[in-house]
Amino acid sequence: YFLFEGNAVIYRARVKGDVTVPDILGGCTVKGIFEDAFTNNDELIGITVAGSIEYIGKSAFDSCRSLKKVVMLEGVKVIDDFAFDTYDYGIEVGYDSVLESLTLPDSVEHIGLSAFWGAPIKGKVVLPENLKVLKPEAFSDTYIDEVIKMGEE
């Protein structure tokens, strides 16, 4: 991690298994996950994003093909472009896992371009009621059966 304006930001994390990104690191509040922080980590199977984290950067979890569980606690506001992208430009890719559903916290206001492009999400996605920006192709090439807005279930 590194410090920015007195807050911790996750950067180049090489972890295995089911991981919780904490609220505090080195005595500082964790406010973000920097771009490419977990990219290409095939040993990451689960991620829980603490409530202090407001920003998930570009390609933060790009090509994490073993990821089965994503939990974002209330507090995340921005999921940037390609954050959970696993699309490999036409190459047939096998996955070790499938996300059975994805519920985003109501705090999410922005979902970036192709944020979940090609991610192995199956079932339904529940979009937060407070969502203000949903960029194109946010959920392209997934196995999603249904996208609904919170409160409209």
Side-chain angles (χ1 to χ4, degrees), residues 32-55:
I33 299 174
F34 198 67
E35 62 185 57
D36 299 315
F38 294 89
T39 294
N40 292 316
N41 185 340
D42 287 335
E43 296 181 284
L44 183 64
I45 59 169
I47 189 80
T48 300
V49 178
S52 66
I53 294 170
E54 297 177 357
Y55 176 81

Side-chain angles (χ1 to χ4, degrees), residues 1-82:
Y1 70 95
F2 66 89
L3 297 179
F4 180 73
E5 296 179 356
N7 295 304
V9 178
I10 303 297
Y11 177 70
R12 294 195 182 195
R14 300 316 306 165
V15 294
K16 296 179 181 180
D18 194 347
V19 175
T20 298
V21 178
D23 285 312
I24 305 287
L25 276 174
C28 296
T29 302
V30 180
K31 286 290 187 179
I33 299 174
F34 198 67
E35 62 185 57
D36 299 315
F38 294 89
T39 294
N40 292 316
N41 185 340
D42 287 335
E43 296 181 284
L44 183 64
I45 59 169
I47 189 80
T48 300
V49 178
S52 66
I53 294 170
E54 297 177 357
Y55 176 81
I56 298 175
K58 289 181 182 177
S59 302
F61 296 93
D62 184 7
S63 299
C64 292
R65 289 186 186 83
S66 298
L67 198 56
K68 296 186 230 201
K69 179 180 91 172
V70 175
V71 177
M72 291 181 222
L73 300 179
E74 193 69 35
V76 175
K77 293 180 182 175
V78 175
I79 301 169
D80 210 345
D81 301 347
F82 308 103

